[in-house]
Short mmCIF file of all heavy atoms in Angstrom, two decimals:
data_model
loop_
_atom_site.label_atom_id
_atom_site.label_comp_id
_atom_site.label_asym_id
_atom_site.label_seq_id
_atom_site.Cartn_x
_atom_site.Cartn_y
_atom_site.Cartn_z
N VAL A 275 -14.14 -10.56 23.19
CA VAL A 275 -15.12 -10.87 22.15
C VAL A 275 -14.38 -11.25 20.87
O VAL A 275 -13.45 -10.58 20.45
CB VAL A 275 -16.05 -9.67 21.88
CG1 VAL A 275 -17.00 -9.97 20.73
CG2 VAL A 275 -16.83 -9.31 23.14
N PHE A 276 -14.85 -12.33 20.26
CA PHE A 276 -14.27 -12.86 19.04
C PHE A 276 -15.34 -12.90 17.96
O PHE A 276 -16.52 -12.83 18.26
CB PHE A 276 -13.73 -14.28 19.28
CG PHE A 276 -12.80 -14.35 20.45
CD1 PHE A 276 -13.25 -14.75 21.70
CD2 PHE A 276 -11.48 -13.98 20.31
CE1 PHE A 276 -12.39 -14.79 22.79
CE2 PHE A 276 -10.60 -14.02 21.38
CZ PHE A 276 -11.06 -14.42 22.63
N VAL A 277 -14.91 -13.05 16.72
CA VAL A 277 -15.85 -13.12 15.59
C VAL A 277 -15.49 -14.31 14.72
O VAL A 277 -14.31 -14.54 14.42
CB VAL A 277 -15.81 -11.82 14.75
CG1 VAL A 277 -16.60 -11.98 13.45
CG2 VAL A 277 -16.34 -10.64 15.55
N LEU A 278 -16.51 -15.05 14.33
CA LEU A 278 -16.41 -16.07 13.30
C LEU A 278 -17.28 -15.59 12.16
O LEU A 278 -18.50 -15.48 12.31
CB LEU A 278 -16.89 -17.43 13.81
CG LEU A 278 -16.98 -18.55 12.77
CD1 LEU A 278 -15.61 -18.84 12.14
CD2 LEU A 278 -17.55 -19.82 13.40
N ALA A 279 -16.66 -15.25 11.03
CA ALA A 279 -17.40 -14.71 9.89
C ALA A 279 -17.36 -15.70 8.74
O ALA A 279 -16.29 -16.15 8.34
CB ALA A 279 -16.80 -13.38 9.46
N LEU A 280 -18.54 -15.99 8.22
CA LEU A 280 -18.65 -16.91 7.09
C LEU A 280 -18.90 -16.11 5.82
O LEU A 280 -19.31 -14.96 5.86
CB LEU A 280 -19.75 -17.92 7.36
CG LEU A 280 -19.57 -18.70 8.67
CD1 LEU A 280 -20.73 -19.63 8.91
CD2 LEU A 280 -18.26 -19.46 8.68
N ARG A 281 -18.65 -16.73 4.71
CA ARG A 281 -18.63 -16.16 3.37
C ARG A 281 -19.26 -14.79 3.16
O ARG A 281 -18.59 -13.85 2.78
CB ARG A 281 -19.25 -17.16 2.41
CG ARG A 281 -18.39 -18.38 2.23
CD ARG A 281 -19.23 -19.58 1.81
NE ARG A 281 -18.59 -20.82 2.20
CZ ARG A 281 -18.75 -21.40 3.40
NH1 ARG A 281 -19.51 -20.88 4.31
NH2 ARG A 281 -18.13 -22.53 3.67
N ASP A 282 -20.56 -14.66 3.36
CA ASP A 282 -21.24 -13.39 3.06
C ASP A 282 -20.79 -12.24 3.96
O ASP A 282 -20.94 -11.08 3.61
CB ASP A 282 -22.76 -13.55 3.14
CG ASP A 282 -23.31 -14.41 2.01
OD1 ASP A 282 -22.62 -14.56 0.98
OD2 ASP A 282 -24.43 -14.93 2.16
N ALA A 283 -20.25 -12.55 5.12
CA ALA A 283 -19.80 -11.52 6.06
C ALA A 283 -18.28 -11.38 6.08
O ALA A 283 -17.74 -10.58 6.83
CB ALA A 283 -20.31 -11.83 7.47
N ALA A 284 -17.59 -12.14 5.25
CA ALA A 284 -16.12 -12.18 5.29
C ALA A 284 -15.49 -10.83 5.02
O ALA A 284 -14.61 -10.39 5.77
CB ALA A 284 -15.60 -13.21 4.30
N SER A 285 -15.90 -10.14 3.98
CA SER A 285 -15.28 -8.86 3.63
C SER A 285 -15.53 -7.81 4.70
O SER A 285 -14.63 -7.03 5.05
CB SER A 285 -15.80 -8.37 2.28
OG SER A 285 -15.36 -9.25 1.27
N ALA A 286 -16.73 -7.78 5.26
CA ALA A 286 -17.04 -6.82 6.34
C ALA A 286 -16.21 -7.13 7.59
O ALA A 286 -15.72 -6.22 8.26
CB ALA A 286 -18.52 -6.84 6.67
N ALA A 287 -16.03 -8.41 7.89
CA ALA A 287 -15.28 -8.80 9.08
C ALA A 287 -13.82 -8.42 8.98
O ALA A 287 -13.17 -8.11 9.99
CB ALA A 287 -15.41 -10.30 9.32
N TRP A 288 -13.26 -8.41 7.78
CA TRP A 288 -11.86 -8.06 7.57
C TRP A 288 -11.55 -6.68 8.14
O TRP A 288 -10.45 -6.44 8.62
CB TRP A 288 -11.54 -8.11 6.07
CG TRP A 288 -10.11 -7.89 5.73
CD1 TRP A 288 -9.52 -6.69 5.38
CD2 TRP A 288 -9.08 -8.86 5.69
NE1 TRP A 288 -8.19 -6.88 5.12
CE2 TRP A 288 -7.89 -8.20 5.30
CE3 TRP A 288 -9.04 -10.24 5.94
CZ2 TRP A 288 -6.68 -8.88 5.16
CZ3 TRP A 288 -7.84 -10.90 5.80
CH2 TRP A 288 -6.67 -10.22 5.42
N SER A 289 -12.52 -5.79 8.13
CA SER A 289 -12.31 -4.41 8.57
C SER A 289 -12.76 -4.15 9.99
O SER A 289 -12.69 -3.01 10.46
CB SER A 289 -13.06 -3.45 7.63
OG SER A 289 -12.60 -3.61 6.31
N LEU A 290 -13.23 -5.16 10.70
CA LEU A 290 -13.72 -4.95 12.07
C LEU A 290 -12.59 -4.54 13.00
O LEU A 290 -11.45 -4.94 12.84
CB LEU A 290 -14.35 -6.23 12.62
CG LEU A 290 -15.72 -6.61 12.08
CD1 LEU A 290 -16.16 -7.94 12.69
CD2 LEU A 290 -16.74 -5.53 12.38
N CYS A 291 -12.95 -3.75 13.98
CA CYS A 291 -12.02 -3.44 15.06
C CYS A 291 -12.79 -3.55 16.36
O CYS A 291 -14.01 -3.67 16.37
CB CYS A 291 -11.40 -2.06 14.88
SG CYS A 291 -12.59 -0.74 14.73
N GLY A 292 -12.10 -3.53 17.47
CA GLY A 292 -12.76 -3.61 18.76
C GLY A 292 -13.08 -5.02 19.23
O GLY A 292 -13.80 -5.18 20.21
N VAL A 293 -12.57 -6.03 18.55
CA VAL A 293 -12.71 -7.41 19.00
C VAL A 293 -11.31 -7.97 19.21
O VAL A 293 -10.32 -7.42 18.72
CB VAL A 293 -13.52 -8.26 18.01
CG1 VAL A 293 -14.94 -7.74 17.87
CG2 VAL A 293 -12.86 -8.35 16.65
N ALA A 294 -11.23 -9.09 19.92
CA ALA A 294 -9.92 -9.66 20.24
C ALA A 294 -9.29 -10.39 19.06
O ALA A 294 -8.08 -10.30 18.85
CB ALA A 294 -10.05 -10.61 21.43
N ALA A 295 -10.10 -11.09 18.27
CA ALA A 295 -9.59 -11.85 17.13
C ALA A 295 -10.75 -12.29 16.24
O ALA A 295 -11.89 -12.38 16.70
CB ALA A 295 -8.80 -13.08 17.60
N ILE A 296 -10.42 -12.60 14.99
CA ILE A 296 -11.43 -12.98 14.00
C ILE A 296 -10.96 -14.21 13.24
O ILE A 296 -9.78 -14.30 12.87
CB ILE A 296 -11.66 -11.84 12.99
CG1 ILE A 296 -12.10 -10.56 13.70
CG2 ILE A 296 -12.69 -12.24 11.93
CD1 ILE A 296 -12.13 -9.33 12.80
N VAL A 297 -11.88 -15.12 12.99
CA VAL A 297 -11.66 -16.23 12.07
C VAL A 297 -12.64 -16.02 10.92
O VAL A 297 -13.84 -15.83 11.14
CB VAL A 297 -11.89 -17.61 12.72
CG1 VAL A 297 -11.84 -18.73 11.68
CG2 VAL A 297 -10.85 -17.85 13.81
N ILE A 298 -12.12 -16.03 9.71
CA ILE A 298 -12.93 -15.77 8.52
C ILE A 298 -12.88 -16.98 7.60
O ILE A 298 -11.80 -17.48 7.30
CB ILE A 298 -12.41 -14.53 7.76
CG1 ILE A 298 -12.53 -13.27 8.63
CG2 ILE A 298 -13.16 -14.35 6.44
CD1 ILE A 298 -11.88 -12.04 8.01
N VAL A 299 -14.05 -17.42 7.15
CA VAL A 299 -14.15 -18.43 6.11
C VAL A 299 -14.65 -17.69 4.88
O VAL A 299 -15.74 -17.12 4.90
CB VAL A 299 -15.13 -19.56 6.50
CG1 VAL A 299 -15.25 -20.57 5.37
CG2 VAL A 299 -14.68 -20.23 7.79
N ALA A 300 -13.84 -17.67 3.81
CA ALA A 300 -14.15 -16.80 2.68
C ALA A 300 -14.05 -17.51 1.35
O ALA A 300 -13.36 -18.52 1.20
CB ALA A 300 -13.19 -15.61 2.69
N ASP A 301 -14.71 -16.90 0.38
CA ASP A 301 -14.55 -17.31 -1.00
C ASP A 301 -13.76 -16.20 -1.70
O ASP A 301 -13.18 -15.34 -1.03
CB ASP A 301 -15.91 -17.58 -1.66
CG ASP A 301 -16.88 -16.42 -1.55
OD1 ASP A 301 -16.43 -15.25 -1.41
OD2 ASP A 301 -18.10 -16.66 -1.62
N SER A 302 -13.74 -16.20 -3.00
CA SER A 302 -12.90 -15.24 -3.73
C SER A 302 -13.32 -13.78 -3.57
O SER A 302 -12.55 -12.87 -3.87
CB SER A 302 -12.85 -15.61 -5.21
OG SER A 302 -14.15 -15.60 -5.76
N ARG A 303 -14.53 -13.52 -3.04
CA ARG A 303 -14.95 -12.12 -2.83
C ARG A 303 -14.06 -11.39 -1.83
O ARG A 303 -14.01 -10.17 -1.82
CB ARG A 303 -16.40 -12.07 -2.35
CG ARG A 303 -17.40 -12.51 -3.42
CD ARG A 303 -18.79 -12.53 -2.88
NE ARG A 303 -18.95 -13.69 -1.99
CZ ARG A 303 -20.04 -13.94 -1.28
NH1 ARG A 303 -21.08 -13.13 -1.32
NH2 ARG A 303 -20.11 -15.02 -0.51
N ILE A 304 -13.33 -12.12 -1.00
CA ILE A 304 -12.45 -11.49 -0.02
C ILE A 304 -11.33 -10.70 -0.69
O ILE A 304 -10.75 -9.78 -0.10
CB ILE A 304 -11.87 -12.54 0.96
CG1 ILE A 304 -11.27 -11.89 2.20
CG2 ILE A 304 -10.84 -13.42 0.29
CD1 ILE A 304 -12.25 -11.36 3.18
N ALA A 305 -11.03 -11.00 -1.94
CA ALA A 305 -9.94 -10.32 -2.65
C ALA A 305 -10.13 -8.81 -2.70
O ALA A 305 -9.16 -8.06 -2.77
CB ALA A 305 -9.81 -10.88 -4.07
N THR A 306 -11.37 -8.34 -2.62
CA THR A 306 -11.64 -6.90 -2.71
C THR A 306 -11.11 -6.12 -1.52
O THR A 306 -10.94 -4.91 -1.62
CB THR A 306 -13.15 -6.63 -2.85
OG1 THR A 306 -13.82 -7.12 -1.68
CG2 THR A 306 -13.70 -7.29 -4.10
N VAL A 307 -10.83 -6.76 -0.41
CA VAL A 307 -10.38 -6.03 0.80
C VAL A 307 -8.94 -6.33 1.20
O VAL A 307 -8.45 -5.77 2.18
CB VAL A 307 -11.32 -6.31 2.00
CG1 VAL A 307 -12.73 -5.83 1.70
CG2 VAL A 307 -11.30 -7.77 2.39
N LEU A 308 -8.27 -7.18 0.47
CA LEU A 308 -6.95 -7.65 0.91
C LEU A 308 -5.85 -6.61 0.85
O LEU A 308 -4.79 -6.81 1.42
CB LEU A 308 -6.54 -8.89 0.11
CG LEU A 308 -7.42 -10.11 0.33
CD1 LEU A 308 -6.91 -11.27 -0.52
CD2 LEU A 308 -7.49 -10.49 1.79
N ARG A 309 -6.08 -5.49 0.20
CA ARG A 309 -5.05 -4.45 0.16
C ARG A 309 -4.84 -3.82 1.53
O ARG A 309 -3.76 -3.36 1.85
CB ARG A 309 -5.43 -3.36 -0.84
CG ARG A 309 -5.29 -3.83 -2.27
CD ARG A 309 -5.44 -2.68 -3.24
NE ARG A 309 -5.40 -3.17 -4.59
CZ ARG A 309 -6.43 -3.16 -5.41
NH1 ARG A 309 -7.58 -2.62 -5.02
NH2 ARG A 309 -6.33 -3.65 -6.61
N ARG A 310 -5.91 -3.78 2.31
CA ARG A 310 -5.82 -3.22 3.67
C ARG A 310 -5.41 -4.31 4.65
O ARG A 310 -5.81 -5.45 4.52
CB ARG A 310 -7.19 -2.68 4.10
CG ARG A 310 -7.71 -1.55 3.28
CD ARG A 310 -8.99 -0.98 3.88
NE ARG A 310 -9.99 -2.00 4.18
CZ ARG A 310 -11.03 -2.31 3.39
NH1 ARG A 310 -11.17 -1.71 2.24
NH2 ARG A 310 -11.89 -3.22 3.75
N ALA A 311 -4.65 -3.91 5.64
CA ALA A 311 -4.30 -4.83 6.71
C ALA A 311 -5.44 -4.83 7.72
O ALA A 311 -6.01 -3.78 8.02
CB ALA A 311 -3.01 -4.40 7.39
N PRO A 312 -5.81 -5.99 8.25
CA PRO A 312 -6.84 -6.01 9.28
C PRO A 312 -6.32 -5.34 10.55
O PRO A 312 -5.11 -5.33 10.79
CB PRO A 312 -7.13 -7.49 9.48
CG PRO A 312 -5.90 -8.18 9.01
CD PRO A 312 -5.30 -7.32 7.95
N SER A 313 -7.23 -4.80 11.35
CA SER A 313 -6.80 -4.10 12.56
C SER A 313 -6.74 -5.01 13.78
O SER A 313 -6.30 -4.58 14.84
CB SER A 313 -7.72 -2.91 12.83
OG SER A 313 -9.05 -3.35 12.97
N VAL A 314 -7.19 -6.24 13.66
CA VAL A 314 -7.11 -7.21 14.75
C VAL A 314 -6.56 -8.53 14.18
O VAL A 314 -6.56 -8.72 12.97
CB VAL A 314 -8.49 -7.45 15.42
CG1 VAL A 314 -9.03 -6.16 16.01
CG2 VAL A 314 -9.49 -8.05 14.46
#
């Protein structure tokens, strides 16, 4: 299972686990989660 996350879901997708891979299309709101490493 893969995830394609667009702007409004970008920050939530950064923290997802249990999927094989994620592609995120983001705006500057993604900056709030960049301190953490994604788990996938």
